[in-house]
Amino acid sequence: MQQEFQHIVKFIRELYKQTEGFIPLHAPVFNGNEKKYLNDCIDSTFVSSVGKYVDLFEERMAEYTGAKKTIACVNGTNALHIALKLVGVEPKTEVITQALTFIATVNAIKYCDADPVFIDVDKDTLGLSPESLKNWLAENVDVTKSQPQLQPQSQPQSQSQPQSQPHNKKTGRRISACVPMHTFGHPCRIDEIMEICNQYHIPVIEDAAESLGSFYKNQHTGTFGEIGVLSFNGNKILTTGGGGMLLFKDEKLAQKAKHLTTQAKVPHLWKFVHDEIGYNYRMPNINAALGLAQLEQLPQFLESKRNIAKKYDDFFSSSALASTLSLIFITEPNNAKSNYWLNTVILKDKTERDAFLKYTNEQGVMTRPAWTLINKLEMFKSCQCENLSNSEWLEERIVNLPSSVRI
Ligand SMILES: *Cc1c(COP(=O)(O)O)cnc(C)c1O
């Protein structure tokens, strides 16, 4: 085994042209107009929550993703929080999501005092499984229609529509949203998930924090659901230092998001009036300046990342070591174009995975396992779960490999 691991480390060192020293998992690259825009931003004195870079960054991101409207936030976690609030996630409701995800997805649900329900992922996409979703819903959820009022004349037409509300038959609680996540940048089966959720009248919030630049059937991830969420944390494909963005297809909802993220202040020349509990979640101009410069380089970043993924894929499929190790390199799923944010291999079992993690990290080549499944964490141990066999299988075997953009 040691010999095979050695071979892999050698390959990664050659890939990053670094014969010694530490190779990180994902380092940002600042190779464009970053310093220029940052200087300009500082010179303008508009470094905070108002300024042209925020508007420009939002506009360019809307153009790139095809979202009707975008709202920049301080980070991806609070963008998720706002998205959930906007589709009506309230206390004592339930939100369906995957157990194999980063903690932020689930923390955001708890910020709304709602409870997560964990369902399984697919082995090929690593994202929320439409099958698992369908099974859980069929077994647990009823859609009740509240009848229209009996005085149609006194009611405006639009309000006499029956309202369809999905309820958990066991807990009696409303299902207020579903949050699929595009794991490591690989798109999940989002069209099937949308179809199922539409049948049950469940709004979808796409956690696309890791999948900027990833497309499913030629449509950008994060633009299928009611709202999509991106992250620009330092380790993501593009960074603003810290930052996130909401992607909307509904302009009215975007307006509400802007209001909520700016302390719910009623616009006025000099008065300070706030009409609800708002948040200070708006992205500062200085972060947007960095983001705009990064976004200009996104096509090059994506090209570099596809090139790295291809090199990994070729290496693992040509060398005998992959079969010796029975190792699988994850490639983009069917119908999808992936950003290959973090390259991923599946090792034979937990023992081999741990040996690989130990060896590579001791050699200064950073690798890391998947997140501990969220339902195993102390705070979420009592949450409802569907069968999580794929998630458990993957949790024990996944390893992320160095994936930084090469200049
Ligand atoms: C990074 C990430 C987030 C949150 O992003 P921050 O900007 O760090 O708050 C949310 N969900 C997933 C899956 C992520 O990877």
Side-chain angles (χ1 to χ4, degrees):
M1 231 158 49
Q2 200 79 354
Q3 208 179 342
E4 283 83 15
F5 291 172
Q6 226 172 354
H7 200 41
I8 297 172
V9 163
K10 185 164 165 274
F11 170 79
I12 295 172
R13 289 206 168 277
E14 278 165 11
L15 180 67
Y16 281 99
K17 300 188 172 60
Q18 217 183 302
T19 47
E20 54 192 66
F22 179 69
I23 299 184
L25 195 70
H26 202 287
V29 168
F30 302 111
N31 207 28
N33 287 320
E34 285 88 351
K35 287 180 181 167
K36 186 175 160 210
Y37 294 169
L38 284 170
N39 273 330
D40 177 56
C41 184
I42 292 166
D43 290 343
S44 77
T45 77
F46 285 92
V47 294
S48 198
S49 51
V50 182
K52 69 171 185 186
Y53 284 109
V54 179
D55 298 334
L56 277 171
F57 188 45
E58 285 176 340
E59 280 165 27
R60 299 280 159 80
M61 198 59 92
E63 278 164 30
Y64 179 76
T65 58
K68 185 112 183 248
K69 195 94 179 105
T70 58
I71 299 293
C73 293
V74 173
N75 58 51
T77 310
N78 59 40
L80 275 167
H81 179 198
I82 292 294
L84 292 166
K85 268 190 92 76
L86 284 173
V87 297
V89 176
E90 297 167 327
K92 296 190 164 59
T93 63
E94 295 175 359
V95 177
I96 303 165
T97 192
Q98 56 202 65
L100 183 78
T101 187
F102 179 53
I103 188 73
T105 317
V106 190
N107 278 343
I109 295 168
K110 291 303 289 189
Y111 297 163
C112 299
D113 288 320
D115 287 308
V117 172
F118 297 112
I119 68 167
D120 212 2
V121 294
D122 283 325
K123 273 188 184 175
D124 57 342
T125 69
L126 315 176
L128 195 106
S129 160
E131 242 87 83
S132 179
L133 176 64
K134 219 188 283 179
N135 290 342
W136 189 81
L137 288 170
E139 197 170 311
N140 295 283
V141 174
D142 256 350
V143 180
T144 48
K145 277 196 176 18
S146 56
Q147 289 307 308
Q149 300 291 312
L150 288 171
Q151 319 100 307
Q153 291 92 335
S154 63
Q155 297 271 330
Q157 269 303 330
S158 62
Q159 285 184 12
S160 63
Q161 297 285 329
Q163 276 223 322
S164 300
Q165 292 225 328
H167 275 95
N168 185 325
K169 288 184 273 188
K170 290 175 189 154
T171 63
R173 291 187 169 177
R174 182 167 71 87
I175 309 296
S176 54
C178 173
V179 189
M181 198 274 279
H182 303 288
T183 309
F184 307 138
H186 296 301
C188 63
R189 296 190 165 79
I190 188 64
D191 56 346
E192 289 173 58
I193 292 166
M194 287 305 299
E195 206 181 305
I196 298 164
C197 285
N198 284 339
Q199 273 169 18
Y200 280 85
H201 304 272
I202 299 170
V204 173
I205 303 294
E206 271 179 277
D207 185 343
E210 306 182 350
S211 66
L212 172 63
S214 299
F215 294 78
Y216 188 77
K217 296 186 174 168
N218 294 319
Q219 186 178 334
H220 197 278
T221 52
T223 64
F224 290 82
E226 263 65 45
I227 309 174
V229 170
L230 304 176
S231 164
F232 314 119
N233 190 28
N235 63 349
K236 297 287 169 21
I237 188 159
L238 175 164
T239 188
T240 58
M245 194 169 275
L246 291 155
L247 309 179
F248 291 94
K249 34 185 164 195
D250 181 320
E251 280 196 53
K252 281 219 184 84
L253 215 51
Q255 288 280 315
K256 280 192 195 161
K258 188 161 178 181
H259 188 61
L260 267 186
T261 55
T262 51
Q263 306 278 32
K265 184 180 181 294
V266 180
H268 190 278
L269 195 55
W270 44 266
K271 257 194 218 169
F272 271 89
V273 176
H274 306 263
D275 60 3
E276 63 184 306
I277 307 284
Y279 301 87
N280 183 12
Y281 281 178
R282 189 87 172 130
M283 179 185 280
N285 203 38
I286 197 152
N287 297 82
L290 190 59
L292 185 67
Q294 288 266 287
L295 183 54
E296 290 168 354
Q297 297 160 84
L298 184 60
Q300 289 132 266
F301 288 178
L302 287 167
E303 198 187 315
S304 168
K305 292 188 80 72
R306 291 190 75 77
N307 177 272
I308 294 163
K310 173 138 198 336
K311 286 197 151 72
Y312 272 125
D313 193 19
D314 289 349
F315 170 71
F316 288 122
S317 51
S318 70
S319 64
L321 70 91
S323 53
T324 321
L325 292 172
S326 59
L327 171 154
I328 303 162
F329 177 73
I330 300 282
T331 53
E332 62 195 355
N334 289 337
N335 300 315
K337 186 159 186 186
S338 177
N339 68 1
Y340 283 100
W341 171 54
L342 285 186
N343 288 290
T344 305
V345 284
I346 312 270
L347 276 295
K348 193 175 86 200
D349 54 29
K350 190 169 183 293
T351 312
E352 200 149 299
R353 182 206 66 175
D354 288 345
F356 182 70
L357 286 169
K358 184 166 185 290
Y359 181 81
T360 47
N361 282 292
E362 276 173 2
Q363 295 296 311
V365 171
M366 186 175 168
T367 57
R368 69 167 204 206
W371 313 279
T372 300
L373 297 185
I374 308 288
N375 60 300
K376 292 185 182 171
L377 301 177
E378 203 52 48
M379 321 75 95
F380 298 109
K381 270 185 179 153
S382 58
C383 292
Q384 300 171 78
C385 293
E386 163 70 353
N387 173 347
L388 299 177
S389 53
N390 287 349
S391 305
E392 275 155 16
W393 188 87
L394 288 166
E395 182 199 26
E396 295 195 335
R397 290 167 179 80
I398 282 177
V399 174
N400 293 132
L401 304 172
S403 301
S404 309
V405 164
R406 300 184 310 162
I407 332 161

